[in-house]
């Protein structure tokens, strides 16, 4: 194909010119400079300016000579009226689109580089000479008109090519195969250029022998026009055939059309049913089957110790998921999830934030999945699992751990009983005794010390027996003070003072107890003598330590008062908390002390008389000046004298240690609490303020330095840091730190703290399965409800009463203001519902109702006051009814029946029984009968006791829906109180379903007449119609079907099948009888008529039957010859 711009720069239409294009160029085109070509362009090559003369061959690219081949064609009219005699080329120019300033240069130079030259004998040389002369003339004439003809020639060439392409052109492309062009001018130019340079002319030239052109030309046949005509003919035939293919064919056979339509309808119904079944099955799998294979594999690896907790599995999979409670079921079983509590709340009328069984509002279980205990407890919280990977959480043997849990459970039970009776209960004392009895070693002693420190902070008195006594500590007494979030409010300041004073008081009492024990063990060295007063005991202790050279300083530096080291005695009196005795000792030796230090008597007297252990401002400034002066002038004086100054005057608070005095951890902590004061910051100097917050900062720094995960290699040091945190009032951090090492102790510390209101609890919905979280104000908080729920996993299967006692403690936080308290109460109720459904100990937890209507209270109902429920109705609505709804949603029919019965929702009991019985009746004859999941197995003694007392458990401990229905209907029919609460429609439906169950059993036994008689008594099918009124009876029965309950409507198809089967089988029996009597023939005819009536009735209720049932009806009807 020639280029679009091959004629640009040539002569105008009035001056004919000659161009030459030769095939076989190195680049696939005939000439490197198409504007200078001398070969004449043929008429079929789409030239804008067809040449008027023949061309001659040019010099070849590789100086090779070939005989040129020319095809002379008749003259044709060009678009501009020029008559041309063309020479047929083989291929267009490659660079024919080059324009601009190089065009004139190309025209002035002779053309070179042709792929092959068309030389043929002497005639070709003459033609070549003539072509060169004509080219020179055309170049001289065309230079002046080049700029005028270039732009119009471009669009004219497009127009000419478009017209030729409509008739086939030389592209040989069918009209129907051409794509529609929606391109710009630049895109069209590029597309046309590609077609011109890479067209199929070369390939066609390779396939077709060039001799054919000469043969056809000599015969007067133009190959180009003939080819166009042939292509046009093919395009018309293709269009005609394509139109014929789209003509629809009409079928005039109405019967065939209707039959085809019916077949298609049946196939579409079957396909739709299959698709719906597949969708339902997929939805069931997605909703009910846990496919968390990675999480299960991780749990198995962690359980058997193959990998540490929180690490990657053996296959390299990362297990960075939260190690909290899984959303799926336990290993090896699926979890059935139904409509959830949101729908059941609509039925019960009680809103709840919980959802389905074992799920909270965040799709997590409140009490955790059963089967975990021991070390698995530490992997339930994400933050605890990270800490527990390098420690051993089982510090005790399993046997000792179970014993410890049993003793704690007894204390919790006693606590709840005291709460019900509104009596004080010394919880901290009781827990400390259990810890002391079941433990051993330093860690146990430190845990006991932590309890005793809390006793001093709370001021719990074990001898108080009534809440009316003035020193009695009430439940949740410190909630308002501790939970106040204002930093410097009166409440929080009062709470900080209580913590500082309690911790210091405990450290002082602990020291004095150790002092007394040491003196008692060494009476000879101590030499108490006289009356064993506090001063004498301290003097004996100082004497004992002095004799052992254990005072920590050179005795030559210690100043004496009479025969004692006076400053040492005063210091240890202060250390043991006996300020009064210290002031009396100094006053009794005032002369000696005034000689040593004239102002000390005044200082200690004022210190003793102050309520908050603070000196007056003038005395404070004086003692600070004296202390600083002695530090600079005489630092080598008695260290105990400087220690007394530091303790009394709170001197040099930047340095909170005592030099020259041996001290342990308790001594160091006592110094911190002795120097700390909670006062108004406005009244204190900047350098004199040191309070509880600063003490917490020091403890936190110690923990980060010495008690971190990397620094604590074993279980031997956790008790110390836990004890320091309790002393510093860091209760939430202390629980979180202790949990990986001893979760049993941590849980009961949290219970004790929460009982007195000293624990900040987090919201279950926002805690994200972490034990320790922080509020928006960066205050620490513990997931108390989740921690108690997880703790019950160890024993709730064996001791469900203890689990109820623990879960009831979640409602301790129900007194929180606003939605927080309501959320904690709902969390407790959800935990109890989960406990009921998991353990299935309905009699123990929810009680029972005897056949005479007498109600027996369960463990939960006896603790209504503890779980923020006012009366029995609220309890039934909140716990029992919602648990029954969840059981019903999960398909646990017997559980739901018993729970609704205990909740006195007798109509719901019958409705659930109707659904189960309807499902059992709908099964085809020969299939495995439906069996319910029975209640939790009970011993023979329990079963006999239940049967004798008429317990509900004996009535519901069955797996047959029909038996369950008979038991409950018999119970309700015998008691008017029950009978009146059941809707008549449900009661009647239950009776009909029971008779349907009997009919099914009769059909299975082959008792056709008995089955027909029973079906007739149902008055659902038109079996009593006479020959004259059977059509009316069928219509009436068909209309009454829509008024039946759904549980009956779904079994109409089965009832029809049984009826037709019985009619056919009984008719066969009569016909095959040895005695052919008129009565037998009449009865056989009646049975055949009834069977036909049943088929007519089936057609009337066709759309209320499933397609599968209707198919079976048609098949059975054919077998019994109903048509």
């Amino acid at each position: 194909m020639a280029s679009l711009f091959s004629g640009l720069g040539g002569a105008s239409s009035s001056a004919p010119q000659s161009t030459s294009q030769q095939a076989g160029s190195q680049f696939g085109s005939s000439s490197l400079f198409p504007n200078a070509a001398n070969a004449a362009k043929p008429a079929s090559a789409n030239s804008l300016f067809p040449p008027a003369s023949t061309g001659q061959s040019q010099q070849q690219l590789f100086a090779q000579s070939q005989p040129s081949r020319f095809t002379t064609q008749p003259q044709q009219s060009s678009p501009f009226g020029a008559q041309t005699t063309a020479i047929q080329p083989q291929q267009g120019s490659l660079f024919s689109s080059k324009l601009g300033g190089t065009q004139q240069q190309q025209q002035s130079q002779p053309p070179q580089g042709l792929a092959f030259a068309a030389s043929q004998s002497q005639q070709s040389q003459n033609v070549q000479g003539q072509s060169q002369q004509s080219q020179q003339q055309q170049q001289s004439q065309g230079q002046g008109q080049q700029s005028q003809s270039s732009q119009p020639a471009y669009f004219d060439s497009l127009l000419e090519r478009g017209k030729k392409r409509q008739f086939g052109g030389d592209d040989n492309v069918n009209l129907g195969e051409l794509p529609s062009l929606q391109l710009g001018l630049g895109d069209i130019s590029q597309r046309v250029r590609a077609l011109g340079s890479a067209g199929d002319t070369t390939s066609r030239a390779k396939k077709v022998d060039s001799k054919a052109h000469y043969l056809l030309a000599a015969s007067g046949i133009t190959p180009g026009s003939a080819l166009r005509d042939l292509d046009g003919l093919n395009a018309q035939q293709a269009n005609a055939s394509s139109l014929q293919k789209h003509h629809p064919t009409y079928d005039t056979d109405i019967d065939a059309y209707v039959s085809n339509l019916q077949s298609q309808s049946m196939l579409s119904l079957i396909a739709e049913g299959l698709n719906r079944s597949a969708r339902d099955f997929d939805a069931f799998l997605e909703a009910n089957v846990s496919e968390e294979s990675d999480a299960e594999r991780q749990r198995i690896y962690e359980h058997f110790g193959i990998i540490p907790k929180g690490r990657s599995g053996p296959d390299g999979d990362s297990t960075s998921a939260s190690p909290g409670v899984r959303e799926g079921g336990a290993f090896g079983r699926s979890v059935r999830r139904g409509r959830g509590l949101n729908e059941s709340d609509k039925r019960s009328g009680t809103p709840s934030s919980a959802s389905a069984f074992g799920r909270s509002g965040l799709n997590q279980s409140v009490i955790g999945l059963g089967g975990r205990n021991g070390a698995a407890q530490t992997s339930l919280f994400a933050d605890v699992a990270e800490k527990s990977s390098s420690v051993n959480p089982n510090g005790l043997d399993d046997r000792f751990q179970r014993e410890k849990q049993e003793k704690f459970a007894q204390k919790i039970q006693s606590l709840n009983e005291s709460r019900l009776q509104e009596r004080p209960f010394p919880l901290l004392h009781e827990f400390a005794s259990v810890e002391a009895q079941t433990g051993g070693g330093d860690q146990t002693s430190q845990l006991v010390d932590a309890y005793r420190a809390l006793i001093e902070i709370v001021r719990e008195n074990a001898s108080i027996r009534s809440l009316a006594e003035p020193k009695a500590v009430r439940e949740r007494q410190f909630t308002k003070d501790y939970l106040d979030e204002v930093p410097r409010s009166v409440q929080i300041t009062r709470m900080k003072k209580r913590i500082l004073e309690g911790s210091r008081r405990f450290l002082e009492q602990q020291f004095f107890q150790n002092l007394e024990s040491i003196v008692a063990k060494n009476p000879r060295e101590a030499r108490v003598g006289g009356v064993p007063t506090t001063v004498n005991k301290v003097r004996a202790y100082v004497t004992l330590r002095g004799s052992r050279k254990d005072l920590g300083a050179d005795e030559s530096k210690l100043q004496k008062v009479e025969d004692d080291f006076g400053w040492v005695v005063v210091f240890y009196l202060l250390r043991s908390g006996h300020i009064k005795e210290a002031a009396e000792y100094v006053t009794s030796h005032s002369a000696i002390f005034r000689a040593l230090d004239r102002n000390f008597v005044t200082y200690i007297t004022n210190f003793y008389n102050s309520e908050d252990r603070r000196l007056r401002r003038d005395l404070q400034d004086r003692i600070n000046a004296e202390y600083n002066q002695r530090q600079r002038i005489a630092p080598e004086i008695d260290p105990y004298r400087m220690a007394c100054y530091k303790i009394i005057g709170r001197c040099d608070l930047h340095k909170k240690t005592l030099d020259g005095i041996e001290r342990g951890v308790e001594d160091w902590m006592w110094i911190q609490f002795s120097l700390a004061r909670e006062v108004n910051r406005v009244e204190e100097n900047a350098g004199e303020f040191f309070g509880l917050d600063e003490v917490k900062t020091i403890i936190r720094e110690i923990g980060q330095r010495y008690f971190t995960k990397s620094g604590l290699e074993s279980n031997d040091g956790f008790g110390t840091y836990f004890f320091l945190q309790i002393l510093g009032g860091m209760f939430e951090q202390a629980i979180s730190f202790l949990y990986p090492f001893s979760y049993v102790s941590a849980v009961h510390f949290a219970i004790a703290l929460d009982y007195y209101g000293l624990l900040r609890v987090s919201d279950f919905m926002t805690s994200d399965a972490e034990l320790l979280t922080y509020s928006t104000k960066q205050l620490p908080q513990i997931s108390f409800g989740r921690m108690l729920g997880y703790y019950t996993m160890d024993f709730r299967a064996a001791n469900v009463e203890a689990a109820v006692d623990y879960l009831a403690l979640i409602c301790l936080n129900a007194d929180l203001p606003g939605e927080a308290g309501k959320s904690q109460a709902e969390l407790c109720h959800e935990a109890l519902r989960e406990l009921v459904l998991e353990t299935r100990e309905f009699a123990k937890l929810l009680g029972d109702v005897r056949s005479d209507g007498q109600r027996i209270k369960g463990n939960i109902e006896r603790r209504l006051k503890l779980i923020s429920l006012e009366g029995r109705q609220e309890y039934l609505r909140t716990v029992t009814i919602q648990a029954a709804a969840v059981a019903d949603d999960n398909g646990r029919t017997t559980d739901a029946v018993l729970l609704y019965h205990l909740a006195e929702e007798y109509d719901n009991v019958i409705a659930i029984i109707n659904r189960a019985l309807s499902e059992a009746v709908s099964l085809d004859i020969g299939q495995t009968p439906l069996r319910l999941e029975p209640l939790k197995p009970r011993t023979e003694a329990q079963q006999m006791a239940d049967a004798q007392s008429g317990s509900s458990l004996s009535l519901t401990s069955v797996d047959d829906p029909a038996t369950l229905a008979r038991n409950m209907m018999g119970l309700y029919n015998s008691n008017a109180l029950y009978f009146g609460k059941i809707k008549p429609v449900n009661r009647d439906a239950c009776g009909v379903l029971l008779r349907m169950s009997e009919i099914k059993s009769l059909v299975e036994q082959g008792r056709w007449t008995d089955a027909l008689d029973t079906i007739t008594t149902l008055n659902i099918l038109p079996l009593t119609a006479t020959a004259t009124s059977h059509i009316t009876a069928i219509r009436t029965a068909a209309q009454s079907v829509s008024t039946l309950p759904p549980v009956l409507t779904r079994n109409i198809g089965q009832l029809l099948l049984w009826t037709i089967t019985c009619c056919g089988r009984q008719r066969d029996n009569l016909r095959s009888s040895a005695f052919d009597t008129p009565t037998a023939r009449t009865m056989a005819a009646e049975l055949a008529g009834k069977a036909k009536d049943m088929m007519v009735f089936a057609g009337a209720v066709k759309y209320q039957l499933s397609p599968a049932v209707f198919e079976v009806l048609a098949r059975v009807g054919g077998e019994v010859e109903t048509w």
Side-chain angles (χ1 to χ4, degrees):
M1 182 185 295
S3 173
L4 278 174
F5 308 101
S6 59
L8 296 180
S12 63
S13 61
S14 61
Q17 62 180 353
S18 172
T19 60
S20 176
Q21 295 182 354
Q22 301 178 5
S25 173
Q26 182 183 10
F27 300 96
S29 62
S30 61
S31 174
L32 295 175
F33 304 96
N35 293 326
N38 296 325
K41 183 175 178 70
S44 62
N46 300 334
S47 174
L48 292 177
F49 304 99
S53 62
T54 60
Q56 60 186 12
S57 63
Q58 302 294 324
Q59 183 178 358
Q60 299 177 0
L61 181 63
F62 298 102
Q64 296 178 358
S65 177
Q66 289 182 351
S68 62
R69 299 174 181 176
F70 296 92
T71 302
T72 305
Q73 300 183 4
Q75 295 181 355
Q76 300 177 3
S77 60
S78 91
F80 298 95
Q83 300 293 327
T84 63
T85 303
I87 300 176
Q88 180 70 31
Q90 296 296 326
Q91 191 172 356
S93 172
L94 175 65
F95 301 99
S96 60
S97 61
K98 291 186 178 181
L99 301 174
T102 61
Q103 186 174 2
Q104 296 180 1
Q105 182 180 358
Q106 292 173 357
Q107 293 176 353
S108 63
Q109 295 178 357
Q112 297 178 356
L114 301 177
F116 66 92
S119 60
Q120 184 179 10
S121 67
Q122 186 67 27
Q123 181 180 0
S124 63
Q125 296 179 359
N126 296 334
V127 173
Q128 182 179 3
Q130 295 175 4
S131 176
Q132 291 178 354
Q133 294 176 2
S134 63
Q135 180 183 5
Q136 294 176 359
Q137 296 175 1
Q138 292 172 1
Q139 290 177 356
S140 61
Q141 294 176 2
Q143 290 177 356
Q145 300 178 359
Q146 177 181 2
S147 61
Q148 299 176 0
S149 61
S150 59
Q151 187 67 21
Y154 173 73
F155 295 104
D156 292 341
S157 176
L158 289 179
L159 178 62
E160 183 181 359
R161 288 178 179 272
K163 291 179 179 180
K164 290 185 177 182
R165 187 169 286 115
Q166 293 177 0
F167 298 97
D170 52 359
D171 289 328
N172 294 329
V173 180
N174 292 333
L175 182 62
E177 298 177 357
L178 290 176
S180 61
L181 297 179
Q182 297 180 357
L183 306 173
L185 292 178
D187 297 331
I188 295 174
S189 175
Q190 183 178 3
R191 188 70 59 85
V192 171
R193 189 181 302 114
L195 293 173
S197 62
D200 59 348
T201 306
T202 303
S203 61
R204 190 164 57 247
K206 292 179 181 179
K207 297 179 181 178
V208 181
D209 190 0
S210 61
K211 295 180 181 181
H213 295 278
Y214 297 104
L215 180 61
L216 294 175
S219 302
I221 299 174
T222 305
S225 61
L227 182 61
R228 285 194 298 272
D229 294 339
L230 293 175
D231 291 340
L233 181 60
N234 295 335
Q236 293 176 1
Q237 293 178 353
N239 293 335
S241 62
S242 63
L243 291 174
Q244 291 177 359
K245 292 180 181 178
H246 293 286
H247 287 312
T249 59
Y250 298 98
D251 191 2
T252 57
D253 190 354
I254 303 300
D255 295 336
Y257 172 75
V258 173
S259 177
N260 186 27
L261 181 61
Q262 182 180 5
S263 300
Q264 294 297 329
S265 300
M266 293 298 295
L267 292 176
S268 62
L269 286 175
I270 294 172
E272 182 181 357
L274 292 176
N275 294 333
R276 184 168 57 252
S277 300
R279 290 193 302 269
D280 294 343
F281 181 73
D282 294 339
F284 176 81
L285 288 180
E286 183 179 358
N288 298 279
V289 179
S290 173
E291 298 181 358
E292 300 177 0
S293 57
D294 295 337
E296 292 291 354
R297 183 171 62 253
Q298 173 73 8
R299 286 185 54 196
I300 294 172
Y301 290 156
E302 292 178 357
H303 175 73
F304 290 102
I306 299 176
I307 60 172
K309 295 179 178 60
R311 303 290 181 85
S312 298
D315 54 354
D317 295 339
S318 176
T319 57
S320 59
S322 173
V325 178
R326 298 173 52 257
E327 296 181 3
F331 174 68
R333 66 180 179 90
S334 64
V335 176
R336 296 180 57 86
R337 286 178 289 179
R339 292 164 289 181
L341 287 183
N342 293 331
E343 184 171 338
S344 63
D345 290 341
K346 298 177 182 179
R347 291 183 289 180
S348 61
T350 302
S352 176
S353 61
S355 60
F357 161 60
R359 301 287 185 267
S360 70
L362 292 178
N363 202 25
Q364 294 180 349
S365 175
V366 180
I367 63 176
L369 298 173
R372 290 171 176 249
N373 53 23
Q377 289 277 351
T378 59
S379 65
L380 298 174
F381 293 102
D383 51 346
V384 176
E386 297 176 358
K387 302 175 185 177
S388 61
S389 59
S390 62
V391 299
N392 178 21
N394 281 335
L396 297 176
D397 186 77
D398 289 342
R399 181 170 60 86
F400 293 104
Q401 181 119 323
R402 288 194 299 269
E403 181 183 355
K404 185 176 182 178
Q405 288 180 334
E406 290 176 0
K407 292 185 177 181
F408 271 124
Q410 294 174 1
K411 300 301 181 182
I412 294 296
Q413 182 179 3
S414 301
L415 169 65
N416 287 333
E417 291 177 356
S418 299
R419 294 173 61 198
L420 290 173
Q421 299 173 5
E422 296 184 356
R423 293 187 292 103
F425 185 79
L427 184 61
L428 294 171
H429 285 84
E430 297 294 336
F431 280 0
S433 64
V434 173
E435 197 71 52
Q437 294 172 7
T438 57
D442 295 337
Q443 308 306 321
T444 300
S445 64
Q446 289 169 343
L447 295 179
V448 174
D449 290 342
Y451 275 117
R452 292 174 179 171
L454 289 176
I455 291 173
E456 292 300 325
I457 294 174
V458 175
R459 303 294 290 177
E460 184 183 82
N461 192 344
S463 61
I464 295 179
R465 294 292 181 266
S466 174
L467 293 176
E469 299 184 25
K471 294 184 179 181
V473 183
R474 296 178 176 272
E475 174 184 330
R476 307 285 293 175
Q477 179 171 334
F478 309 105
T479 303
K480 294 183 179 180
D481 291 350
Y482 185 79
L483 300 183
D484 191 358
E485 297 181 353
V486 181
R488 298 183 182 88
S489 64
V490 177
Q491 291 82 0
I492 196 66
T493 302
R494 182 167 58 241
M495 191 69 245
K496 290 180 178 180
K497 286 182 178 181
R498 175 177 287 274
I499 294 174
L500 286 175
E501 293 175 359
S503 299
R504 183 181 64 248
R505 188 164 49 247
F506 165 74
L507 293 172
E508 292 170 350
Q509 293 178 0
Q510 183 189 41
F511 173 78
F512 190 71
Q513 291 175 359
N514 294 334
L515 182 149
E516 289 181 325
S517 63
I518 292 175
V519 171
K521 291 179 181 179
N522 303 276
R524 292 186 180 180
E525 296 179 77
R527 294 177 295 176
V528 179
V531 180
T533 61
T534 301
V535 176
N536 290 336
K537 291 179 182 179
V538 172
R539 291 172 60 189
Y541 177 74
V542 172
T543 302
L544 177 61
R545 297 196 61 178
S547 63
R548 296 180 179 180
K549 306 297 182 181
D550 196 20
L551 292 177
D554 188 2
E555 292 187 3
S556 61
K557 297 180 181 180
L558 302 180
Q559 298 176 349
K560 285 195 173 185
V561 176
E562 294 181 352
D563 295 333
D564 303 323
F565 296 112
W567 295 109
V568 179
V569 173
V570 173
F571 172 78
Y572 281 115
L573 285 172
L574 294 176
R575 173 66 182 86
S576 60
H578 297 93
I579 302 175
K580 177 181 178 181
E581 288 77 4
E584 292 176 352
Y585 178 78
V586 172
T587 304
S588 62
H589 301 83
S590 59
I592 301 176
F593 276 99
R594 289 187 185 277
L596 298 174
D597 190 337
R598 62 179 181 177
N599 295 323
F600 185 75
V601 178
T602 305
Y603 295 151
I604 195 171
T605 303
N606 188 267
F607 182 77
Y608 164 67
N609 294 328
S610 175
E611 294 182 357
D612 55 355
R613 292 189 177 187
R614 295 178 61 197
L615 298 179
R616 299 196 310 267
R617 173 52 56 186
D618 56 339
L619 297 179
Q620 182 69 47
D621 296 339
R622 188 189 308 173
I623 195 173
N624 284 335
E626 292 180 5
Y627 180 84
N628 295 330
Q629 183 179 8
R630 286 191 173 87
Q631 284 287 87
R632 292 193 304 268
I633 297 175
E636 299 297 332
I637 60 175
D638 191 341
Y640 287 94
R641 178 180 180 182
M642 300 300 293
C644 292
Y645 266 77
K646 191 176 187 66
I647 297 301
I648 294 175
R650 300 177 68 239
C651 304
D652 192 12
L653 292 179
H654 298 288
K655 184 178 181 181
K656 304 175 186 64
T657 58
L658 301 177
D659 296 334
I661 300 177
E662 292 187 2
R663 60 193 182 276
V665 176
E666 292 81 3
D667 298 326
W668 178 83
M669 285 301 302
W670 174 78
I671 295 172
Q672 312 306 312
F673 286 103
S674 296
L675 298 178
R677 298 288 189 277
E678 282 296 332
V679 295
N680 191 351
R681 290 178 179 264
V682 179
E683 300 176 359
E684 289 284 337
N685 296 329
E688 296 180 358
F689 185 80
F690 180 71
L692 183 62
D693 292 336
E694 286 71 22
V695 174
K696 291 181 179 180
T697 302
I698 295 174
I699 295 174
R700 191 177 299 110
E701 292 175 354
I702 292 174
Q704 294 174 355
R705 181 178 301 179
Y706 300 106
F707 298 98
T708 58
K709 180 179 178 181
S710 59
L712 194 62
E713 299 295 339
S714 63
N715 298 354
D716 297 336
F718 70 89
T720 302
Y721 185 54
F722 173 76
F723 175 61
L724 293 179
Q725 288 177 313
I726 291 295
L727 290 176
M730 304 169 64
F731 301 135
E732 292 82 9
Q733 295 91 330
I735 300 302
S736 177
F737 177 78
L738 180 62
Y739 194 87
F741 300 96
S742 178
Y743 69 92
V744 177
S745 300
V747 167
H748 292 88
F749 266 106
I751 292 173
L753 291 169
D754 194 61
Y755 177 74
Y756 288 112
L758 296 176
L759 192 70
R760 187 176 287 103
V761 298
S762 61
D763 186 7
F764 180 83
M765 304 299 176
T766 58
S767 58
D768 295 334
E770 292 186 352
L771 180 60
L772 178 66
T773 56
Y774 290 88
S775 65
T776 56
K777 296 185 178 181
Q778 296 303 309
L779 297 175
Q781 51 190 10
I782 287 291
S783 183
F784 184 71
R786 184 181 276 112
M787 180 175 61
L788 288 183
Y790 292 169
Y791 176 72
T792 60
M793 290 192 302
D794 289 354
F795 54 84
R796 62 174 177 244
N799 191 356
V800 68
E801 295 90 346
V804 174
D805 286 323
Y806 276 97
L807 296 179
L809 296 176
I810 300 177
C811 268
L812 284 172
N813 303 288
D815 60 346
L816 296 177
E819 292 294 328
K822 182 180 179 181
S823 175
Q824 292 296 321
E826 292 176 352
L827 180 64
C828 175
H829 302 158
E830 174 68 16
L832 292 174
R833 286 192 293 268
E834 290 187 20
L835 179 67
V836 169
L837 293 172
E838 179 181 322
T839 60
R840 304 180 71 189
E841 293 285 355
F842 304 116
K844 293 181 180 179
L845 297 177
L846 303 177
D848 197 3
V849 178
R850 300 185 185 276
S851 58
D852 57 356
Q854 181 182 359
R855 187 176 188 86
I856 303 173
K857 292 184 178 181
N859 287 303
I860 297 178
E861 190 172 357
R862 288 196 292 266
R863 291 166 176 79
L864 292 182
K865 186 178 179 181
L866 305 182
I867 58 177
S868 299
L869 294 178
E870 297 299 332
R872 185 167 63 90
Q873 293 300 324
E874 186 178 1
Y875 154 71
L876 295 177
R877 184 173 60 252
T878 305
V879 178
T880 311
I881 293 179
Q882 294 190 16
V886 174
D888 185 19
D889 293 337
N890 294 332
R892 299 162 62 175
T893 303
T894 54
D895 292 356
V897 166
L898 180 59
L899 290 172
Y900 273 124
H901 176 70
L902 296 177
E904 301 177 1
E905 293 287 333
Y906 308 120
D907 187 66
N908 287 337
V909 172
I910 300 302
I912 294 173
I913 291 176
N914 287 347
R915 289 203 307 267
L917 192 55
S918 176
E919 184 177 357
V921 171
S922 64
L923 296 178
D924 294 335
I925 295 177
Q927 291 186 354
T928 303
L930 177 66
R931 295 298 178 187
L932 304 176
E933 182 181 3
L935 295 178
K936 186 175 181 179
R938 300 169 63 81
T939 62
E940 295 182 1
Q942 292 175 336
Q943 293 177 1
M944 292 179 61
D946 294 339
Q948 292 176 0
S949 62
S951 173
S952 303
L953 295 177
S954 62
L955 300 177
T956 56
S957 300
V958 294
D959 59 356
D960 183 21
T963 305
L964 178 63
R966 293 189 190 96
N967 293 341
M968 301 310 295
M969 285 299 297
L971 174 64
Y972 295 159
N973 290 334
S974 62
N975 193 323
L977 178 64
Y978 301 150
F979 189 84
K981 294 183 179 181
I982 303 174
K983 295 179 181 179
V985 61
N986 289 336
R987 188 170 58 247
D988 296 340
C990 185
V992 173
L993 288 171
L994 282 174
R995 281 186 286 174
M996 283 186 178
S997 179
E998 296 175 1
I999 293 169
K1000 183 177 181 181
S1001 62
L1002 292 174
V1003 173
E1004 290 176 346
Q1005 298 172 14
R1007 300 166 59 181
W1008 315 118
T1009 56
D1010 295 340
L1012 283 174
D1013 292 341
T1014 309
I1015 294 174
T1016 304
T1017 59
L1018 296 178
N1019 292 326
I1020 296 178
L1021 303 181
L1023 291 176
T1024 59
T1026 61
T1028 57
S1029 62
H1030 66 282
I1031 298 298
T1032 305
I1034 291 172
R1035 290 177 180 176
T1036 304
Q1039 293 175 358
S1040 63
V1041 169
S1042 59
T1043 62
L1044 295 177
V1047 292
L1048 297 180
T1049 305
R1050 65 177 297 185
N1051 291 302
I1052 293 297
Q1054 294 291 337
L1055 196 61
L1056 281 170
L1057 287 176
W1058 300 337
T1059 304
I1060 295 175
T1061 302
C1062 291
C1063 290
R1065 295 296 180 266
Q1066 184 62 24
R1067 180 168 171 264
D1068 293 341
N1069 293 339
L1070 293 174
R1071 294 171 62 182
S1072 61
S1073 175
F1075 303 98
D1076 187 9
T1077 61
T1079 304
R1081 288 194 298 270
T1082 303
M1083 293 180 61
E1086 290 180 358
L1087 290 174
K1090 290 182 179 181
K1092 292 179 181 180
D1093 291 344
M1094 292 303 101
M1095 295 304 299
V1096 176
F1097 176 78
V1101 296
K1102 172 182 177 181
Y1103 296 104
Q1104 297 183 9
L1105 304 177
S1106 62
V1109 172
F1110 198 79
E1111 269 187 41
V1112 177
L1113 279 174
R1115 177 175 54 81
V1116 174
E1119 292 177 358
V1120 299
E1121 301 178 3
T1122 55
W1123 50 56

